[in-house]
Amino acid sequence: MTENTQQSPDRGPMDSAPELPTQYAPAEVEGPLYERWVERGYFEADAKSDKEPYTIVIPPPNVTGSLHLGHAFEHTLIDALTRRKRMQGFEVLWQPGMDHAGIATQNVVERELAKEGKSRHDLGREAFVERVWQWKAESGGQISGQMRRLGDGVAWSRERFTMDEGLSKAVQTIFKKLYDDELIYRAERIINWCPRCLTAISDIEVEYQDDDGELVSIRYGEGDASIVVATTRAETMLGDTAVAVHPEDERYKHLVGTEIELPLTGRRIPVVADEHVDPEFGTGAVKVTPAHDPNDFEIGRRHDLPSLTVLDEHGVITVHGPFLGLDRFEARSTIVGALRAEGRIVAEKRPYTHSVGHCSRCKTTLEPRQSMQWWVKVGPLAEAASKAVREGDVAIHPKEMESRYFGWVDNLHDWCISRQLWWGHRIPVWYGPNGEMVCVGPDDEAPTGEGWHQETDVLDTWFSSGLWPFSTLGWPEKTESVAKFYPNSVLVTGYDILFFWVVRMMMFGLYAMDGTPPFHTIALHGMVRDQFGKKMSKSFGNAVNPLDWMDKYGSDAVRFTLARGANPGVDVPIGEDWVQGSRNFANKLWNATRFAMMNGATVEGELPAADRLSATDRWILSRLNSVVAEVDAYYDDYQFAKLSDTLFHFAWDEVFDWYVELSKATFAKGGPEAEVSRRVLGEVLDVTLRLLHPVVPFVTETLWTTLTGRESVVIADWPADSGFRDAAAEQEIATVQQVVTEVRRFRSDQGLQPGQKVPARLDLTGTALAAHEDAMRSLLRLQPAGEGFSATASLPVAGATVALDLSGTIDVEAERKRLAKALAAAEKDKAQSTAKLGNEAFLAKAAEAAVEKIRKRLETAEADIERITAQLAALPGGNGTTA
């Protein structure tokens, strides 16, 4: 049987546990409960503990952010894992904190300044950064309060911020180490440039979308010495320094090595042969603008072409008189007009839909731009990150997500880590008056003297968040926390930031921590979507503030809904109706536990031995242990939907709808059997509430502490499967359920009201049901067969016979006519379905889905015929026994 797991002796009971109110009011319960948990230090982690560690870091939300459904979903899963592990006796650290979110935060503060008619340049760098810190103190981090609403069991005393002193030291330390190992370098390359944020952004921060543009074909040169090129960015032609063709393209071999005129500019540019050019695409010739296109940049390097920058950081033309000062989009149409006037336009296609990169922060169209930037040489780092997964040091769950991981990490380009911002970790490099360059570590003295100055760029936000699993523990110092809690046990995060964040942590963790990966398992989940599977967005009008649902239905209802949708790596649809259903479940838990306690359910004393238990008691304890085992297996496989569904159906269907109902007759009789069942019911509720606690912590805390009188379910022991199983009892109760279900269906089919009592005689001879007759009569509203009893319907079910006297309760003739009509309809459906499935022509042309629909229709018709025929036979005057 289940282990009778009570609180250990050093944890005393709560002060006079209150009686349960008649209704559950989440708004009155959740806030005070959470503060009590925090005050008692339940969520803190002790690095000196001899318990086995279990560590999870929070994916640090942006300091500018607020709790959205995606956060609530992810936090629910992490909280469930950590609460269970805490109950299992682990020293649990759920590490909280926030990311400084360089671009996003700077944008927020710049917008605030704009309201005052100022820019950051009016303040200067130092004053602007101070203003951002002021904003952070006053307005940033509202998400912390929202995490408390959700019930996040994080170690608040360890909360970190990616710009705090300790993490800044970690950033400077690893930058210096990478620099010294020649894994960080400075070079001029093509980068993604945002003309709105005025900074470079990395490849993974680019959002591609199909935009309507134009494809313009332009003739360069004259006569036989002319070539037609096509472009969607006509404004960049001002920076062309060559035209490229494929070396084997016979059409242009006579031109390779010659020069042709670049229209509008008065310059002549060479024709070069390069294998990058696809001779089958378009005209087989491409314009080469090395300063404004990554592919052209590489062609330029191969052919030693000059790079001409023709757009400034705002996307404004910087060359050639007539177009000087025009915005890039205005310049595009103006240049096309000028080319058309000269007869240079060969073809124009509008609209021309093509994929265009946009800034993930502000949605501005990005501009490829040649710029001097800082880079991480990712080759050896990415190789180690790939090897750690391939060799099994790190498991990705679900396993099918491995291909996405390898697809990214095996094809990484060098990472541009410099950003032209003021808010962030400033790159720790100093430049001297004579071209000197010195990288300064946290314990080094920065160079001083005339002409020395620090690099003005800051680091990409993902650089510091990539250190999160160990910088939050005090690294680079050799702290007790690093020794205890690194590596993390598991990383729970969305597949959408697998590339942004997970790969960065893998590379830095393996590099900084002597080859030890930052976590043992990467558990990836999907995205939250609306009930129709559509992405949630304010622009779509389907975005949901989870706080609104928490206010309306309680945090437990939101959490349970999210957990029930959480299949590994799969997107999660959610609708308000489902949250209402979860609220109903919380209410069912409340009402059923309250009823049980009113009927004497108790956890006091040892659980009675098996020979003192009824079949009903043995059945529920056998099922309880099976559920414990199933839930454990699902947790270990990160199957949150399955474990939540298992607990939902066990609690609602088996405990409340069957065990409690079957036990009512026992409770009414009283005596020793009732006392045993009260203890069993207490045990079942105790274990069920503990199993549910990690997902629905608030209602289970209130119910469990009231039921047991103990301190808190947060620090209770996790239930263990004792191995007790009773197949015979399970079969016996399954038979009871079969009889009750069939008779209930018959009553419903006859139009009887659920509470309407009917005289009945039960023949249970030769079955194991005799002990359950009182319970079955109570569940089925069956009165004893007294004098004058005359059976008008007889139901043989599972070896038993239930004879009913329906005289006076139904109009037999009207019921027979209704059933006959329904039977005819079912037989017609069967005939039509059978005919279609026997039609070879139909089967040859119909889609498989249509054929399957017909098969299902046939199965339904056959089941209806069998059911209705039995109902007709059970009516007086039918073929059934009526004695």
Side-chain angles (χ1 to χ4, degrees):
M1 288 175 288
T2 56
E3 182 181 339
N4 182 20
T5 319
Q6 294 298 315
Q7 203 66 28
S8 56
D10 58 328
R11 295 171 180 164
M14 295 175 61
D15 299 333
S16 58
E19 293 295 323
L20 288 174
T22 55
Q23 290 185 320
Y24 178 49
E28 297 173 12
V29 169
E30 293 174 351
L33 264 189
Y34 187 83
E35 291 311 313
R36 188 188 310 163
W37 291 335
V38 172
E39 288 167 7
R40 293 179 177 179
Y42 292 158
F43 305 139
E44 295 304 321
D46 182 5
K48 298 180 187 297
S49 166
D50 59 1
K51 296 178 182 178
E52 185 179 347
Y54 186 82
T55 315
I56 294 182
V57 294
I58 192 173
N62 288 353
V63 67
T64 59
S66 60
L67 193 72
H68 56 65
L69 267 180
H71 287 124
F73 172 58
E74 186 168 77
H75 291 201
T76 294
L77 306 188
I78 299 175
D79 197 42
L81 290 174
T82 54
R83 285 178 181 269
R84 173 177 175 254
K85 286 296 182 180
R86 191 177 292 111
M87 295 171 75
Q88 287 181 317
F90 287 76
E91 190 63 38
V92 173
L93 169 59
W94 182 9
Q95 174 67 54
M98 285 181 292
D99 190 280
H100 66 279
I103 295 175
T105 305
Q106 181 156 318
N107 283 346
V108 167
V109 177
E110 287 198 79
R111 284 197 294 270
E112 293 295 314
L113 285 174
K115 294 176 184 176
E116 304 169 15
K118 298 178 182 178
S119 74
R120 60 181 163 121
H121 300 285
D122 294 323
L123 272 66
R125 183 170 193 143
E126 188 175 334
F128 176 77
V129 171
E130 183 58 38
R131 178 70 176 262
V132 180
W133 278 108
Q134 179 184 338
W135 174 87
K136 190 257 181 186
E138 294 173 356
S139 306
Q142 61 174 310
I143 203 166
S144 295
Q146 296 166 340
M147 286 166 61
R148 292 171 181 265
R149 283 288 311 277
L150 189 64
D152 287 3
V154 298
W156 286 113
S157 68
R158 291 172 171 265
E159 187 175 12
R160 303 305 297 268
F161 180 55
T162 51
M163 285 283 285
D164 69 27
E165 184 177 351
L167 271 65
S168 295
K169 182 177 182 180
V171 167
Q172 198 171 353
T173 298
I174 201 164
F175 187 99
K176 170 72 170 171
K177 180 173 170 59
L178 288 162
Y179 182 88
D180 290 346
D181 288 345
E182 299 184 350
L183 292 172
I184 280 183
Y185 63 95
R186 188 170 184 250
E188 194 168 40
R189 299 274 182 82
I190 292 287
I191 46 84
N192 304 295
W193 180 266
C194 178
R196 159 63 185 81
C197 298
L198 297 180
T199 183
I201 66 172
S202 65
D203 292 342
I204 56 176
E205 294 172 299
V206 180
E207 289 183 353
Y208 288 95
Q209 65 183 52
D210 288 339
D211 287 356
D212 284 340
E214 60 182 355
L215 181 67
V216 182
S217 297
I218 309 167
R219 178 172 51 83
Y220 288 14
E222 301 292 345
D224 291 340
S226 68
I227 294 182
V228 175
V229 299
T231 180
T232 58
R233 301 167 67 219
E235 70 279 7
T236 65
M237 68 163 289
L238 301 177
D240 286 0
T241 57
V243 171
V245 298
H246 193 273
E248 304 300 323
D249 195 331
E250 294 293 336
R251 293 171 295 176
Y252 303 118
K253 274 193 174 183
H254 68 290
L255 292 175
V256 173
T258 69
E259 290 186 342
I260 60 175
E261 182 182 347
L262 178 66
L264 304 180
T265 67
R267 289 192 289 113
R268 293 185 69 78
I269 58 176
V271 178
V272 299
D274 195 281
E275 291 188 351
H276 170 76
V277 180
D278 180 0
E280 303 298 324
F281 183 78
T283 63
V286 297
K287 59 191 286 297
V288 181
T289 321
H292 294 283
D293 183 275
N295 293 321
D296 294 1
F297 178 81
E298 295 301 328
I299 294 175
R301 290 177 65 175
R302 287 194 288 272
H303 298 275
D304 198 24
L305 299 173
S307 289
L308 299 180
T309 299
V310 298
L311 291 166
D312 70 8
E313 60 184 6
H314 297 282
V316 172
I317 298 292
T318 60
V319 296
H320 206 69
F323 313 111
L324 184 66
L326 294 180
D327 172 79
R328 54 186 169 154
F329 300 119
E330 184 182 5
R332 183 175 299 171
S333 58
T334 304
I335 287 171
V336 169
L339 289 167
R340 190 183 298 113
E342 290 191 4
R344 295 281 179 180
I345 300 297
V346 176
E348 297 178 70
K349 184 176 182 180
R350 295 189 185 88
Y352 178 73
T353 302
H354 60 130
S355 181
V356 178
H358 294 258
C359 176
S360 62
R361 301 294 181 184
C362 69
K363 313 308 177 187
T364 299
T365 300
L366 294 171
E367 196 64 44
R369 188 167 189 259
Q370 185 172 319
S371 177
M372 183 67 76
Q373 301 287 343
W374 285 91
W375 306 80
V376 171
K377 187 184 296 183
V378 300
L381 302 175
E383 184 180 354
S386 178
K387 183 179 177 182
V389 174
R390 282 195 163 93
E391 295 189 352
D393 295 329
V394 177
I396 292 180
H397 188 87
K399 190 171 178 61
E400 53 265 29
M401 285 285 179
E402 279 187 1
S403 59
R404 295 178 68 131
Y405 177 83
F406 293 131
W408 186 260
V409 78
D410 292 343
N411 296 285
L412 275 180
H413 299 295
D414 283 1
W415 173 17
C416 178
I417 56 172
S418 45
R419 299 291 180 267
Q420 290 64 54
L421 304 171
W422 287 357
W423 172 245
H425 294 102
R426 195 165 173 180
I427 291 176
V429 171
W430 270 253
Y431 303 107
N434 300 312
E436 302 96 332
M437 189 165 66
V438 176
C439 181
V440 176
D443 300 321
D444 301 334
E445 289 290 333
T448 57
E450 187 176 351
W452 283 94
H453 64 279
Q454 187 180 357
E455 169 65 70
T456 56
D457 288 356
V458 301
L459 288 164
D460 178 11
T461 297
W462 297 105
F463 190 95
S464 51
S465 59
L467 313 180
W468 193 247
F470 50 94
S471 63
T472 52
L473 300 174
W475 187 90
E477 307 301 328
K478 294 181 179 179
T479 64
E480 290 180 322
S481 290
V482 170
K484 179 74 174 179
F485 296 114
Y486 187 91
N488 291 186
S489 306
V490 62
L491 173 74
V492 178
T493 192
Y495 63 70
D496 57 315
I497 59 171
L498 180 62
F499 320 129
F500 289 87
W501 188 45
V502 179
V503 170
R504 309 302 189 205
M505 287 189 291
M506 284 287 285
M507 292 193 301
F508 281 167
L510 288 159
Y511 174 73
M513 306 301 286
D514 300 320
T516 303
F519 16 74
H520 298 301
T521 301
I522 301 168
L524 297 171
H525 58 71
M527 311 294 292
V528 177
R529 298 181 178 271
D530 69 14
Q531 66 263 46
F532 306 109
K534 191 174 182 180
K535 180 180 177 181
M536 285 193 173
S537 167
K538 289 181 180 178
S539 61
F540 295 154
N542 63 351
V544 173
N545 182 345
L547 295 176
D548 293 340
W549 280 354
M550 290 184 211
D551 289 341
K552 198 170 181 180
Y553 305 111
S555 297
D556 283 333
V558 175
R559 290 171 61 116
F560 197 63
T561 304
L562 290 166
R564 286 191 79 184
N567 291 297
V570 179
D571 288 346
V572 183
I574 183 172
E576 188 168 359
D577 288 352
W578 305 340
V579 185
Q580 291 176 0
S582 295
R583 185 269 315 273
N584 294 343
F585 178 59
N587 287 341
K588 182 77 170 181
L589 281 176
W590 185 273
N591 294 332
T593 304
R594 185 171 179 272
F595 169 83
M597 293 182 66
M598 289 171 60
N599 281 273
T602 180
V603 297
E604 298 301 322
E606 292 296 321
L607 198 61
D611 58 6
R612 294 184 56 201
L613 302 176
S614 67
T616 305
D617 294 333
R618 295 196 307 278
W619 160 71
I620 198 62
L621 291 174
S622 180
R623 287 292 305 127
L624 179 66
N625 274 285
S626 294
V627 167
V628 170
E630 288 172 29
V631 168
D632 276 332
Y634 287 142
Y635 261 116
D636 292 341
D637 199 35
Y638 305 100
Q639 297 279 1
F640 297 97
K642 290 182 179 178
L643 72 89
S644 299
D645 216 44
T646 295
L647 287 169
F648 173 86
H649 287 294
F650 176 69
W652 193 307
D653 300 343
E654 298 187 74
V655 178
F656 303 144
D657 282 358
W658 283 107
Y659 180 72
V660 169
E661 292 300 321
L662 288 170
S663 299
K664 281 182 178 179
T666 304
F667 294 151
K669 285 183 181 178
E673 288 185 5
E675 292 303 312
V676 168
S677 291
R678 289 187 180 103
R679 179 64 189 88
V680 170
L681 179 54
E683 178 76 6
V684 172
L685 289 174
D686 168 21
V687 173
T688 302
L689 292 171
R690 281 187 280 147
L691 289 172
L692 280 163
H693 172 72
V695 181
V696 284
F698 294 108
V699 67
T700 52
E701 170 80 340
T702 306
L703 295 175
W704 189 86
T705 51
T706 306
L707 173 71
T708 65
R710 303 284 172 168
E711 180 182 339
S712 173
V713 70
V714 176
I715 52 172
D717 292 329
W718 182 251
D721 173 14
S722 69
F724 174 77
R725 301 291 190 278
D726 193 324
E730 290 195 35
Q731 180 57 52
E732 184 172 324
I733 301 304
T735 304
V736 172
Q737 292 171 329
Q738 183 182 357
V739 172
V740 171
T741 301
E742 287 298 322
V743 176
R744 279 176 171 169
R745 182 181 294 120
F746 177 77
R747 286 176 55 105
S748 175
D749 289 341
Q750 303 309 314
L752 297 177
Q753 295 300 314
Q756 189 172 353
K757 294 184 178 180
V758 177
R761 177 183 297 128
L762 276 61
D763 181 1
L764 308 177
T765 306
T767 72
L769 300 177
H772 306 284
E773 180 170 351
D774 289 347
M776 288 193 294
R777 284 186 176 277
S778 175
L779 289 168
L780 292 169
R781 304 293 191 269
L782 301 180
Q783 295 176 321
E787 288 187 17
F789 175 81
S790 175
T792 59
S794 182
L795 298 175
V797 185
T801 303
V802 179
L804 305 170
D805 182 358
L806 302 180
S807 57
T809 61
I810 62 170
D811 183 331
V812 175
E813 286 307 312
E815 185 62 16
R816 182 175 284 110
K817 288 179 182 179
R818 184 187 72 80
L819 289 173
K821 186 177 179 181
L823 180 60
E827 287 173 337
K828 182 180 178 181
D829 270 356
K830 178 182 177 181
Q832 290 175 341
S833 300
T834 301
K836 281 190 175 183
L837 292 174
N839 185 334
E840 293 298 333
F842 168 76
L843 294 176
K845 294 180 181 180
E848 179 57 34
V851 175
E852 182 60 26
K853 188 174 181 180
I854 300 297
R855 290 196 189 104
K856 292 288 186 185
R857 186 175 173 184
L858 176 59
E859 290 176 10
T860 301
E862 289 175 337
D864 285 346
I865 290 169
E866 182 179 354
R867 174 177 57 81
I868 297 168
T869 300
Q871 290 171 19
L872 281 167
L875 289 174
N879 296 325
T881 303
T882 59

